[in-house]
């Protein structure tokens, strides 16, 4: 009874909101949608920490920090930078170590040398990409080239799910690392596929990427492909559906379990289908929104995206302002991580015991970069071990010489 009263209050509270202006005051449709909205919004699941998924995010902090520093240097003219400039940017880069210490701890990233900032100034220490880093960058380009069809498909899919099949170019640049797009995808990749893309607009911040032609082979979601594959293997027709599974020890109330059961039974809505006929507050629209969120996370490199970044696409994908609540309401599909003070939406089914099992081919770039870092850490460890051995040998030599020196001093005194 209390829940129904609460839902009614919520319905009354939004009765005269702008959302409802398209319905007449006495419209049955209006009342129905208000009650549906209140019913959905009142169903909440208390957030529960998932230590394994949080650890997966935490373990990547080290290489991501190194990647930020590398990007900072590569963006400089000539890809060189005075070391003291990097020191001044430590706070922005979230670099807790001194710049010199960071360079020493990652010896295969940069070479250091002396040069002048101005012709008559004193020489200062500069950094530039090492031969090992340049080799990695060549390997990165090879991987991008090898996976170009995948990148094109991802870009098409992002546009095909959007409301008007067009997205602000600046937004796409902002998420390029989340989906594995190369830095120059707008200037080099997009012009190569005029049958798919058209860049319109006068400037970078006001330019838009538009879908030129619809590609039917891209218009199937990951969930639909999995259902087709299962049907092919078993010979039994499989209905596309979300993999709704709570982690061990997680509990939701009976009312929520019943709502989830009924919601799961609703027909799956392909996120690439036209959704303009769906009411914004209906259960069907909720189903469609979860489908789009699931597909976005599935297309991402790590099957997770910071929630504020997803929020930039609310208008493009017809998300409500309260879309982030869906990640906790559907805790069997998603996990909302709070690690690092940033809300991150994670696709549960892509991980097993905190380890990413649904790996994107473009993750080979990350693997190569981590290999480079680990090789550098081994070099650093060997350098420290050799330095320690030299110090120990010097101390042993001094210990052996000490009696002789004392004897010599005694003889001189006599």
């Amino acid at each position: 009874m209390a829940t129904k009263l609460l839902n009614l209050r919520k319905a009354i509270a939004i009765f005269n909101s702008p959302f409802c202006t398209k319905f007449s005051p006495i419209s049955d449709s209006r009342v129905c949608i208000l009650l549906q909205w209140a019913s959905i919004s009142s169903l909440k699941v208390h957030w529960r920490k998932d230590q394994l998924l949080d650890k997966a995010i935490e373990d990547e902090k080290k290489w991501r920090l190194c990647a930020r520093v590398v990007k900072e240097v590569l963006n400089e003219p000539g890809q060189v930078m005075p070391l003291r400039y990097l020191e001044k940017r430590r706070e922005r880069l979230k670099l807790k170590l001194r710049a010199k210490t960071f360079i020493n701890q990652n010896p295969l990233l940069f070479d250091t040398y002396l040069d002048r900032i101005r012709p008559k100034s004193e020489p200062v220490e500069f950094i530039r990409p090492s031969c090992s880093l340049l080799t990695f960058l060549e390997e990165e380009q090879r991987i991008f080239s090898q996976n170009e069809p995948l990148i094109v498909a991802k870009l098409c899919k992002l546009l095909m799910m959007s409301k008007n099949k067009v997205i602000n170019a600046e937004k796409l640049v902002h998420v390029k690392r989340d989906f594995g797009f190369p830095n120059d995808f707008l200037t080099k990749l997009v012009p190569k596929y005029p049958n798919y893309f058209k860049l319109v607009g006068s400037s970078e911040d006001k330019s838009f990427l538009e879908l030129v032609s619809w590609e039917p082979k891209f218009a199937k979601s990951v969930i639909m492909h999995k259902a087709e594959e299962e049907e092919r293997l078993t010979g039994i027709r499989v209905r596309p559906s979300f993999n709704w599974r709570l982690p061990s020890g997680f509990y939701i109330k009976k009312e929520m379990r019943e709502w989830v059961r009924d919601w799961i039974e609703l027909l799956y809505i392909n996120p690439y289908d036209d959704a303009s006929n769906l009411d914004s507050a209906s259960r069907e629209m909720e189903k469609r929104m979860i489908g789009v969120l699931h597909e976005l996370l599935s297309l991402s490199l790590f099957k997770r995206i910071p929630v504020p970044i997803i929020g930039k696409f609310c208008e493009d994908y017809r998300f409500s302002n309260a879309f982030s609540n869906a990640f906790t309401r559907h805790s069997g599909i998603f996990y909302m991580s709070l690690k690092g003070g940033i809300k991150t939406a994670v696709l549960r089914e892509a991980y097993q015991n905190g380890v990413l099992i649904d790996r994107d081919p473009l993750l080979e770039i990350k693997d190569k970069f981590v290999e480079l870092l680990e090789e550098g850490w081994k070099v650093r460890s060997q350098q420290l071990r050799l330095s320690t051995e030299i110090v120990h040998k010097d101390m042993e030599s001094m210990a052996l010489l000490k009696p002789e020196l004392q004897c010599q001093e005694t003889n001189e005194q006599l």
Side-chain angles (χ1 to χ4, degrees):
M1 183 66 181
T3 302
K4 291 182 179 179
L5 287 174
L6 180 60
N7 291 346
L8 184 58
R9 291 193 188 100
K10 289 184 177 181
I12 294 172
I14 63 170
F15 193 75
N16 293 316
S17 67
F19 164 74
C20 301
T21 55
K22 62 180 180 179
F23 300 105
S24 63
I26 58 173
S27 168
D28 291 340
S29 298
R30 182 182 183 184
V31 174
C32 179
I33 287 177
L34 287 174
L35 291 175
Q36 285 178 340
W37 184 92
S39 176
I40 292 174
S41 65
S42 67
L43 293 170
K44 296 181 180 179
V45 178
H46 292 292
W47 179 83
R48 184 187 178 111
K49 185 175 183 178
D50 190 318
Q51 294 183 348
L52 291 176
L53 291 179
D54 279 346
K55 186 176 184 299
I57 297 175
E58 182 70 20
D59 289 346
E60 294 179 0
K61 287 177 62 176
K62 195 168 186 179
W63 75 261
R64 286 186 181 276
L65 172 62
C66 294
R68 283 200 300 272
V69 176
V70 167
K71 176 189 172 186
E72 192 75 14
V73 176
L74 294 179
N75 285 340
E76 288 291 303
Q79 297 186 337
V80 299
M81 175 192 290
L83 185 60
R84 69 188 189 191
Y85 285 11
L86 182 61
E87 180 69 25
K88 291 179 180 179
R89 302 175 191 179
R90 279 174 53 199
E91 184 176 354
R92 177 166 60 81
L93 293 171
K94 299 180 181 178
L95 182 60
K96 296 180 180 180
L97 302 172
R98 293 185 63 84
K100 180 66 174 177
T101 303
F102 173 84
I103 299 299
N104 291 338
Q105 288 186 354
N106 299 278
L108 294 188
L109 291 182
F110 304 106
D111 293 332
T112 58
Y113 65 101
L114 294 177
D115 201 354
R116 291 180 171 85
I117 297 177
R118 293 182 296 276
K120 295 184 179 180
S121 62
E122 291 295 320
V124 296
E125 200 166 12
F126 274 71
I127 56 175
R128 62 189 171 198
S130 68
C131 291
S132 298
L133 180 56
L134 292 175
T135 300
F136 161 75
L137 294 174
E138 292 176 358
E139 186 71 4
E140 180 184 48
Q141 290 304 313
R142 180 195 67 78
I143 297 170
F144 277 136
S145 178
Q146 181 179 324
N147 290 280
E148 187 169 291
L150 172 62
I151 297 171
V152 170
K154 284 187 179 187
L155 200 51
C156 281
K157 284 172 173 284
L158 292 181
L159 293 172
M160 290 168 67
M161 283 188 290
S162 66
K163 183 171 58 177
N164 298 316
K165 312 302 179 281
V166 60
I167 296 179
N168 186 294
E170 186 179 10
K171 293 182 183 179
L172 292 172
V173 170
H174 194 67
V175 299
K176 62 185 177 183
R177 285 175 181 78
D178 294 283
F179 293 98
F181 301 154
N183 291 330
D184 55 3
F185 77 98
L186 282 178
T187 56
K188 292 188 177 180
L189 182 69
V190 166
K192 287 175 63 176
Y193 295 89
N195 55 319
Y196 287 145
F197 312 116
K198 182 170 71 172
L199 197 60
V200 294
S202 56
S203 61
E204 184 176 339
D205 60 333
K206 292 184 179 179
S207 59
F208 296 83
L209 189 63
E210 182 181 341
L211 184 72
V212 173
S213 60
W214 184 269
E215 181 55 72
K217 68 180 180 181
F218 296 152
K220 286 186 179 180
S221 67
V222 170
I223 287 179
M224 296 176 71
H225 280 298
K226 287 182 179 179
E228 290 179 355
E229 179 64 15
E230 188 175 348
E231 182 176 339
R232 186 186 67 81
L233 294 174
T234 62
I236 302 173
R237 186 176 181 181
V238 178
R239 192 182 76 169
S241 183
F242 295 101
N243 183 8
W244 214 103
R245 185 180 302 172
L246 287 171
S248 178
F250 200 97
Y251 174 80
I252 58 175
K253 294 181 179 179
K254 179 181 177 181
E255 181 187 19
M256 187 65 197
R257 288 200 306 271
E258 292 175 351
W259 184 87
V260 169
R261 180 196 60 204
D262 294 340
W263 183 85
I264 288 291
E265 288 301 314
L266 291 174
L267 288 178
Y268 173 77
I269 299 176
N270 185 358
Y272 298 99
D273 288 347
D274 182 21
S276 59
N277 63 324
L278 297 178
D279 293 322
S280 300
S282 65
R283 293 194 303 168
E284 288 75 17
M285 192 60 179
E286 169 99 349
K287 191 94 173 186
R288 189 260 175 187
M289 181 181 70
I290 299 303
V292 174
L293 292 172
H294 185 284
E295 188 72 356
L296 288 174
L297 293 178
S298 298
L299 293 173
S300 67
L301 280 182
F302 293 93
K303 316 308 176 194
R304 64 174 186 261
I305 305 176
V307 173
I309 289 181
I310 299 177
K312 293 179 181 292
F313 295 87
C314 278
E315 184 178 353
D316 301 287
Y317 295 121
R318 296 187 66 193
F319 296 156
S320 68
N321 291 333
F323 78 96
S324 61
N325 293 334
F327 294 122
T328 51
R329 186 160 59 246
H330 295 276
S331 297
I333 302 174
F334 309 112
Y335 170 60
M336 174 85 82
S337 174
L338 305 180
K339 203 67 183 176
I342 300 174
K343 291 183 178 180
T344 302
V346 186
L347 188 61
R348 284 194 184 276
E349 65 191 57
Y351 289 79
Q352 185 174 7
N353 296 325
V355 177
L356 183 65
I357 55 174
D358 189 3
R359 288 180 57 83
D360 191 293
L362 288 164
L363 281 178
E364 185 182 356
I365 294 173
K366 173 254 182 180
D367 295 339
K368 295 288 184 183
F369 186 65
V370 172
E371 286 176 10
L372 172 64
L373 293 176
E374 291 177 343
E375 185 180 348
W377 298 337
K378 289 180 182 178
V379 170
R380 175 64 173 168
S381 179
Q382 292 172 356
Q383 291 173 346
L384 292 175
R385 187 172 64 252
L386 289 174
S387 299
T388 302
E389 290 176 357
I390 292 173
V391 171
H392 285 165
K393 287 180 179 179
D394 290 343
M395 291 177 65
E396 290 173 358
S397 298
M398 290 296 296
L400 291 174
L401 287 173
K402 190 174 182 179
E404 295 180 8
L405 292 173
Q406 289 177 344
C407 183
Q408 185 177 353
E409 290 176 358
T410 302
N411 292 334
E412 290 177 354
Q413 289 175 358
L414 293 174

